[in-house]
Amino acid sequence: MDMLMFQLQKQSQTPLYKQLYREIKKAIIDGTIQVNTKLPSKRKLADYLQISQTTVELAYSQLVAEGFIESRPRKGFYAQPVEELAYLDISHDEPVPKESISYKVDFNSASIDTHSFPFATWRKLTRDILDESNHEWLLSGHPQGDDALRQEIARYLYQSRGVVCDADQIVIGSGTEQLLPLLIRLLDKTLVYGYENPGYALTHSIFSHHDRQAIPIELDPDGINVGELEASDVDVAYVTPSHQFPSGSVLSATKRAQLLNWAAAKPERYIIEDDYDSEFRYTSRPIPALQSMDLSDRVIYISTFSKSLMPSLRIAYMVLPKRLLRAYQKTFLHYSSSVPRHDQQLVAKFMKDGHFARHLNRMRKLYQKKIKQLSSSLALFAPAVAVSGEQAGMHIVLTIETLLSEEELVKRAKEAGIRVTGLQSYDVHKRDGTQPKIVLGFGGLSEQEIHSGITDLMSCWEIQ
């Protein structure tokens, strides 16, 4: 054939071989280069286009690999029929890179202190687990999770949270977002769900993605508004009673009793208790779980190892009431656990040998120092800045006396290289409050970073 008339842009950031590959591919697809047409040799095409033979070789190799051309021994390269590959004739423009923001201080509420993780212990246990004598862990395990881990979780929950359950009631999954859909499928499709507002955005989306009617229930200073819940059509209430996200409030004893009485009033009612960061409480002993007070078997307890160990572990668990357990075992009899068995065995061993308890005690003291540093740094800016939600967890809420809006505060912080989140972003109604409120996470920052970060944050907000 005549020499290929391709215009290669040598100043482009796209490599020349990729430009050549695309041009030949397009010509074959649109018929400009017909089937069984012989392509120029690598040397001739390189000379003609004034590029290296290596560039041509790379382009030809890719075309051969994708079936657009064929290399015939001692004959050369020939175009192949591509009728069934016509769908590949699409634009191959280089993707536009997303805006990459590098924050010098990240007050992300989901962060943890990764530098204090017991890597040496974890590494040793991993070697012990990944041993030829444990070959049976290569096979699928129990659908609800390995018994060894469920036994350890049941023991831990009783000792630390007062949760009374058998290991058989526990279901292990790869995150709350995997367990909640399973739970929803156990319950009648006509049931109405209620969730705290402001609240965890993932919960709202899970209910809507599974075509379940869900109603936001407003918060009082001491937790969910039970009066509004009672006046609604809600059948299943999703709550975070020990440390509400994002407000940081703790459900009062009175409201706990009211909530349990609400659930017991009708047979179809349940409470989903998300106990996502209850391990870290700083002003008193951990508050017992709502499930520990439940006499009617109406509380479904959910928690995770994301804050206590690491988010990337992807292990969460739920404790089902016994009447739901039977339905679960019948409905999901043929399911496999979504968590790898060696990860389950590793966590079980970590807990059984006492490493988990020691790790929690160490991290609790570490986070307590951090929140003290955060509180003392913020105290310098009182009364313009008020702090709430500091009794537990790994985030607090700031109430700011300023003429700036919450959106403007977040924007100014971003421009200063500081990540913060407005409380309004967790409100489904996106309402403006009387005073802007900002959520600050501190788990992933050092004490020095916390102090300097608060100083810079107040500076960009012009708070003296």
Side-chain angles (χ1 to χ4, degrees), residues 34 51 61 79 209 225 254 262 289 377 425 427 433 435:
Q34 297 182 357
I51 56 179
S61 296
H209 290 168
N225 187 325
T254 299
W262 167 84
S377 297
S425 65
D427 185 340
Q435 291 178 304

Side-chain angles (χ1 to χ4, degrees), residues 43 160 327 337 372 377 390 393 404 407:
R43 182 183 60 79
S160 66
S337 176
K372 284 183 178 179
S377 297
E390 71 276 20
L404 299 175
E407 184 179 5

Side-chain angles (χ1 to χ4, degrees), residues 192-460:
V192 178
Y193 294 80
Y195 56 87
E196 301 163 324
N197 186 50
Y200 190 31
L202 173 66
T203 310
H204 317 163
S205 61
I206 287 178
F207 294 141
S208 62
H209 290 168
H210 291 81
D211 298 321
R212 298 301 193 267
Q213 184 180 353
I215 298 174
I217 304 296
E218 298 306 306
L219 293 177
D220 290 332
D222 59 346
I224 192 169
N225 187 325
V226 180
E228 183 178 334
L229 178 67
E230 292 173 335
S232 71
D233 295 325
V234 169
D235 303 298
V236 183
Y238 181 97
V239 295
T240 51
S242 296
H243 187 231
Q244 201 277 334
F245 186 87
S247 73
S249 64
V250 177
L251 193 66
S252 66
T254 299
K255 284 196 171 180
R256 286 170 181 258
Q258 292 174 341
L259 193 56
L260 290 169
N261 289 335
W262 167 84
K266 293 185 178 181
E268 69 274 13
R269 285 180 177 172
Y270 286 98
I271 299 168
I272 302 174
E273 177 183 14
D274 190 339
D275 210 23
Y276 69 99
D277 69 353
S278 61
E279 297 90 352
F280 304 113
R281 186 164 183 82
Y282 313 114
T283 57
S284 63
R285 289 180 57 82
I287 298 174
L290 194 63
Q291 196 267 7
S292 68
M293 304 168 59
D294 179 26
L295 302 178
S296 303
D297 209 27
R298 300 303 180 89
V299 177
I300 304 159
Y301 180 93
I302 291 183
S303 192
T304 173
F305 289 102
S306 292
K307 293 294 181 70
S308 57
L309 286 177
M310 59 185 112
S312 63
L313 185 61
R314 307 310 302 145
I315 297 183
Y317 51 89
M318 63 181 174
V319 180
L320 293 175
K322 291 186 177 179
R323 57 179 177 164
L324 277 183
L325 178 61
R326 289 187 290 272
Y328 179 91
Q329 292 172 338
K330 180 179 179 181
T331 304
F332 301 110
L333 177 66
H334 302 294
Y335 275 48
S336 297
S337 176
S338 57
V339 180
R341 291 191 70 190
H342 59 269
D343 285 345
Q344 296 186 53
Q345 291 292 333
L346 180 55
V347 175
K349 182 70 171 171
F350 191 76
M351 298 177 78
K352 184 177 182 179
D353 291 354
H355 302 299
F356 186 57
R358 287 190 288 273
H359 175 64
L360 285 182
N361 288 335
R362 184 169 59 253
M363 298 308 295
R364 192 178 294 114
K365 293 176 183 177
L366 181 63
Y367 290 136
Q368 188 169 29
K369 289 181 180 179
K370 292 186 179 188
I371 202 166
K372 284 183 178 179
Q373 176 64 68
L374 183 58
S375 298
S376 63
S377 297
L378 288 166
L380 300 173
F381 301 93
V385 178
V387 178
S388 60
E390 71 276 20
Q391 303 94 339
M394 294 159 65
H395 76 276
I396 62 170
V397 178
L398 305 183
T399 302
I400 315 294
E401 287 188 10
T402 178
L403 296 177
L404 299 175
S405 67
E406 192 173 292
E407 184 179 5
E408 181 63 27
L409 291 176
V410 174
K411 180 182 177 182
R412 286 196 177 194
K414 181 179 179 181
E415 291 171 348
I418 305 171
R419 189 216 294 261
V420 298
T421 308
L423 190 73
Q424 182 186 17
S425 65
Y426 299 103
D427 185 340
V428 295
H429 303 304
K430 305 300 180 186
R431 296 163 297 188
D432 291 324
T434 55
Q435 291 178 304
K437 296 181 183 292
I438 300 295
V439 179
L440 288 188
F442 57 86
L445 299 172
S446 67
E447 292 179 57
Q448 177 57 42
E449 288 172 327
I450 289 172
H451 179 70
S452 60
I454 291 299
T455 302
D456 293 344
L457 185 62
M458 296 302 146
S459 176
C460 75

Side-chain angles (χ1 to χ4, degrees), residues 32-45:
T32 303
I33 299 178
Q34 297 182 357
V35 176
N36 286 324
T37 298
K38 183 179 180 181
L39 273 64
S41 69
K42 290 180 284 187
R43 182 183 60 79
K44 287 184 178 180
L45 186 57

Side-chain angles (χ1 to χ4, degrees), residues 21 57-72 77-78 80:
Y21 150 79
E57 185 174 357
L58 288 171
Y60 278 12
S61 296
Q62 186 63 34
L63 291 165
V64 169
E66 295 183 13
F68 286 96
I69 65 176
E70 177 187 45
S71 175
R72 298 176 184 175
F77 295 91
Y78 292 80
Q80 294 298 293

